[in-house]
Amino acid sequence: VQLQASGGGLVPAGGSLTLSCVVSRSHFMIHAVGWYRQTSGKQRELVANINSDGNTYYPDSVKGRFTISRDSAKSTVYLQMNSLKPEDTAVYYCRPLLTAQGLRNDYWGQGTQVTVSS
């Protein structure tokens, strides 16, 4: 499996979840990875990004609530989500920026469903 996102589920508003994304090093570089989400009828939106320097980016909608991290030894990128809101309900995807060959990656893999109940 090239990308394996997991950890989604049903959680009440105010709860927490941690998503994991295992990245195949034979297919992708792990130095820059983003987490995205998509709801029905809407475009995917970036919710967190980590680059090779460990710098992170979050849009205002999740800033202060979501945290992205990377464990290179485990080839895994995490998304810690706290204080979840019903509007966070979506399918969450991880996407490395580059393939193992250094080319821009367009592969998304399967996502993981997060449902936040009100």
Side-chain angles (χ1 to χ4, degrees):
V1 179
Q2 300 179 39
L3 289 173
Q4 183 67 55
S6 62
L10 175 64
V11 62
S16 299
L17 280 175
T18 300
L19 306 184
S20 300
C21 176
V22 179
V23 179
S24 167
R25 297 293 192 98
S26 63
H27 291 88
F28 307 105
M29 294 185 183
I30 197 174
H31 72 297
V33 179
W35 278 99
Y36 299 75
R37 66 186 179 190
Q38 186 174 29
T39 55
S40 180
K42 293 186 177 181
Q43 287 188 327
R44 281 182 181 133
E45 63 169 336
L46 177 69
V47 296
N49 187 66
I50 186 166
N51 69 12
S52 56
D53 295 328
N55 295 321
T56 57
Y57 165 81
Y58 308 93
D60 289 343
S61 58
V62 306
K63 192 176 295 182
R65 300 189 298 122
F66 288 13
T67 303
I68 188 171
S69 61
R70 174 177 55 216
D71 186 335
S72 297
K74 295 182 179 180
S75 297
T76 302
V77 178
Y78 302 96
L79 184 67
Q80 173 69 43
M81 305 185 295
N82 299 324
S83 303
L84 284 163
K85 305 175 180 180
E87 51 264 43
D88 295 319
T89 295
V91 179
Y92 284 72
Y93 302 84
C94 62
R95 190 186 75 152
L97 178 65
L98 299 176
T99 68
Q101 293 74 36
L103 302 175
R104 185 168 182 86
N105 169 45
D106 293 319
Y107 179 76
W108 287 93
Q110 69 175 28
T112 185
Q113 175 72 48
V114 172
T115 303
V116 184
S117 61
S118 58

